[in-house]
Amino acid sequence: MQPFEYQRPQNAQEAVNGVDAAHAKFLAGGTNLIDLMKQQVELPTRLIDIKRLELAKIEEMPGGGLRLGALATNADTAGHTLVRQRYPMLAQAILAGASPQLRNMATNGGNLLQRTRCYYFYDPAYEHCNKRKPGSGCAAIEGFNRIHAILGTSTACIATHPSDMCVALAALGARVRVQGKGGERVIEFADFHRLPGRTPEIDTNLRADELILSIDLPAGPYAAHSAYVKVRDRASYAFALVSAAAALELDNGTIRSARLALGGVAHKPWRSDRAEAMLAGKPASQQSYVVAANAALEGAKPFEHNAFKVEMAKATIVRAFSLAAAGGDKA
Amino acid sequence: MTAIGDPITRVDGHAKVTGKAKYAAEFAVPHLTYAVMVTSTIGSGRILSMGTSDAQHAPGVLTVMTPANAPKLPQGGKAAVHPPAGRVLSLLQDNLVHYNNQPIAVVVAETLNQALYASSLVTVRYQRENPHLNFEGGFATAHPGSHGKDPADKSIGNLEQGMAEGEVKVDQVYTTPLENHNPMEPHVTIAEWEGEKLTLHDATQYISGVKQTVAKSFGIPDENVRVLCPYTGGGFGCKGSTWSHVLLAAMAAKVVQRPVKLVLERPQMFGPVGGRPRTHQHVVLAAKRDGTLTAMQHDVHSHTSEIEDFTEPSSSVTRTLYACPAIKTSQRLVPLSLATPTFQRAPGESTGTFALEIAMDELAYKLNMDPIQLRLKNYAEKDPIENKPFSSKHLRECYEQGAARFGWAKRNPAPRSMKRGHDLIGWGMATATYPANRSSASVNVQFEPNGRVTVTCGSQDLGTGTYTIMAQVAAATLKLPIELVNAELGDSAMPKSPVSGGSQTAASVTPAVQAAAKQAQLALFALAAADKDSLFHEVAPQDLDFENGKVVRKGKSGGEDFKELLARNGNKPIGATASAEPEQDSEQYSKHSFGAVFAEVSVDESLGMPHVQRVVGVYDVGTLLNEKTGKSQLIGGIVWGVSLALHEEAHIDNASGRIVNNNLAEYHVPVNADIGEIEVFALNFPDTKFNPLGARGIGEIGITGAGAAIANAIYHATGKRIRSAPITPDMLLT
Ligand SMILES: Cc1cc2nc3c(=O)[nH]c(=O)nc-3n(C[C@H](O)[C@H](O)[C@H](O)COP(=O)(O)OP(=O)(O)OC[C@H]3O[C@@H](n4cnc5c(N)ncnc54)[C@H](O)[C@@H]3O)c2cc1C
């Protein structure tokens, strides 16, 4: 690990001010950042420890929404009564991720900013990774790419965003409230993470000096009919091969509105507006879900080892909607 | 009183859970320094130069040892010690790179973090060659690979004729991937020189092997090296050999003239300490309509490194498991630019049963025959190739009891005939087998003046229960409660014992414990006979017995406490050292353990996710020395069978030859949630032709057969025959 300076600010403003010319990083649960520092992938010269800032609350918002503090742990968030009542799919998604020990440490803000698990990014022994060393190429495109993206890739990068939680947040249309040196702003979840394009080194539209304060969930009609389904190589403690967060607003067997986001398939949690639009007004049936699933995967471009993800994603979508319609039992 | 077989809880359990048990890395050695290995990032080529000055000048750094400045070892570091102890190592004696992640330098600093940081500052200029990674492409030029006493080719009968006589045939290829052991405790060495004497704290399965290899490598007398390892945090085969880091630590300690601790980083567990090689197994079975096998062929290719041959003898199972007039087996090696593979739990039998026992299931389906009936039809009453009787074989009972306990009779053989919710359910079975190995071992048993008994052996406890069974067998032999016995092991100064590999520790060490206990008892009787104040003055030893800590006259009550006897005779311990050799006539027999494994697997019909719901295993492993530790080994083996079937694979990057998933997040082994119900039973038929206690080893048999039983259950569930491990959801998508 490269030597670094350590700060523990008293409040959000002080934390943000700590981000100066030096290569500074916020430290929350540390479950991703510390690993990457040990791997010599992240080389911050200053760590700003935000873990004790007062950003761990989960509070109701006017109008029925919920505010998830950036420093609330994944475990506390998934276990919170209001989260389970209003956004059961989010609780399911969080619990489908990592392990109990990790979820006890991991924070909501950190979860959004966790970095890809692409092997070639994670191990600096590989020379070619545009995300780690801009301009160096992408070893994954011709390499072992079973876990890589099939949607929204670029010739510079085919990494996926590994989070489960974020897939549910994307489907729920969350907003990310952040504070920078110049004040607060709100980022729509769909605009938070980026596609790789020619600058895969930039994961999100968050600026380096910006601190996530909270993730705000709007009130919604989806609590009764939602589900998160994750397909993985082992029953726990494995990242998704593919996952789907699906939610339905039903009116007597007819879909009034639908939400769908996918994990494990793209550089960002992949919300499918197209599939959602196709479901509106259709009967809540297997057939509708299949049509939506095909629509969601249109344009998918697999690589040598991940062609299976296309069919797997479709099956996962169909299962997620079926479970959602049936009342959202866990898969 | 303690008896053989009692389910005694590990005697070292308390020390382990309270942290008192010290593993190799935990010894506080004064003036300790910390070493970190730098490993190659190319798969093949040579080092042109290394930039070490930044590292050299980083805080706390004591030395950066590279091929340019490393101490030269006699014979270029090639100690003439046979495997498992001696291997072809990377000891910075030349500039060549034979695989990615090969040790190429060692940084030593005052603290671990300083060493880690400095190691990141070392730069390397390489002349690159293209790594050879095309496994299948190497079949044409593959060379024979022998394994221990086993030749590369072994056959009987007329294969062509047997094939021609067969009315039904299975002709398929089965594959298993590169795997890495990854015990929880990584490899560790602390090396400390005192003049020409070297002490090593080493995480090992073979203290006397380390001692010998290190001594020979440095060209110093064996007795100058002492190896200590009271606890090993899992080995599974990778700690059976003395790998490069052990010698590098000792070399570094010489250079800095202080003790050095070298702990492998987890990614360094993927290469420099071996792994299970890839296998490609071509199996052909031919049978008559009634199921009688007429020919069996099992041709195995496995990979090895470019510096050393290692054979995964998968065809060994076809050499022993079924009666058949024509059997042809072969082992071929394909050298690749990868690290040298090594022994991994049931090397050969794990991968071999995966192939053969799926092939048998395929044959049963083609014959429309129950898979157990097919196996019984071809039951080997004697070793089919060696033509020797088995020392003891009760496989038939394993099938019977296993089937009964699992409920096999209720099985509808049609694939896709059982469903539960989203899941298809399948039942599959397979045969388990592993050879019974045994080597010479020595043990000391001593009566202590404080009334306790100490049993000492230079063996290892990998977490398997060696301490416990040593104490248990000593207690049972001396008719003492186990609480009065101390077991000691893990020091090369103790009486010598073999490598803890090949499931031979219990079978080798316990007869020596028994022999030493009996001799120690005789020494005690002699002491009594010579002691005129003893009740048994001048009583002949054959008239005496030992019970509950007392010397007694046979058939009489009363007696004399051994503690009092010792107190009157100088208050000194008295005991004996004895060795036990494999039985003299044991070469007349073929010696194997057997078992039958049954698995129920569910497969999510549309998502492809498999889950092992339950496994029943019934084993014929001779006498079970300790029901609890013994069953734990069998259960652990089955868990690894689940891993082999569904999870484990080291993926190689084809451009660089580097293992991409070189960490425990991405290299999958089962977690608790993957493991359903596992029930194991041991038949407990003593095999006294093999060893006086009747016990064969049980460390490895659990993994054998389990993978095939799971694959067969998946076929039964889904109708999909997958012949390649691991079986992952993508292969089972509809
Ligand atoms: C073995 C393993 C398995 C895992 N499996 C899964 C899985 O299956 N599914 C899944 O979803 N996740 C999984 N995870 C990832 C885990 O969820 C993340 O590591 C965790 O959520 C990160 O949170 P943290 O608080 O520890 O972040 P940290 O490691 O502290 O920080 C991560 C990043 O976020 C930044 N950051 C943190 N908080 C803020 C903030 N408030 N404002 C601005 N920047 C901030 C940091 O600077 C850093 O760049 C796994 C992790 C591990 C190690």
Side-chain angles (χ1 to χ4, degrees), chain A residues 26 28-33 98 107 111 113-114 163-164 212 230 239:
Chain A
F26 297 122
T31 61
N32 191 227
L33 182 57
T107 65
N111 195 308
L113 293 174
Q114 64 175 294
S163 169
D164 290 294
I212 301 176
K230 176 175 180 178
F239 290 94

Side-chain angles (χ1 to χ4, degrees), chain B residues 513-597:
Chain B
V513 172
Q514 210 178 34
K518 285 179 183 157
Q519 284 190 26
Q521 198 172 291
L522 285 178
L524 198 63
F525 296 165
L527 189 70
D531 176 359
K532 55 183 181 353
D533 293 329
S534 167
L535 285 175
F536 307 112
H537 183 56
E538 286 178 352
V539 177
Q542 60 268 26
D543 295 330
L544 293 178
D545 210 341
F546 187 78
E547 257 169 31
N548 259 322
K550 286 181 165 43
V551 180
V552 295
R553 201 184 281 265
K554 268 186 190 150
K556 297 262 171 67
S557 57
E560 184 168 30
D561 224 276
F562 82 78
K563 198 174 155 185
E564 286 163 26
L565 192 56
L566 295 185
R568 271 203 315 276
N569 289 275
N571 224 12
K572 289 190 307 254
I574 186 164
T577 300
S579 298
E581 309 290 331
E583 302 305 297
Q584 266 180 359
D585 57 355
S586 72
E587 286 307 311
Q588 295 170 19
Y589 301 102
S590 183
K591 302 167 291 285
H592 295 267
S593 283
F594 296 97
V597 206

Side-chain angles (χ1 to χ4, degrees), chain B residues 11 67 153 317 403 417 459:
Chain B
V11 295
D153 296 274
V317 295
S417 53
S459 185

Side-chain angles (χ1 to χ4, degrees), chain B residues 18 115 179 288 290-291 293 308 380 422 430 589 592 705:
Chain B
T18 53
E179 297 178 352
K288 297 235 172 73
D290 70 355
L293 286 166
E308 186 182 359
H422 296 296
Y589 301 102
H592 295 267

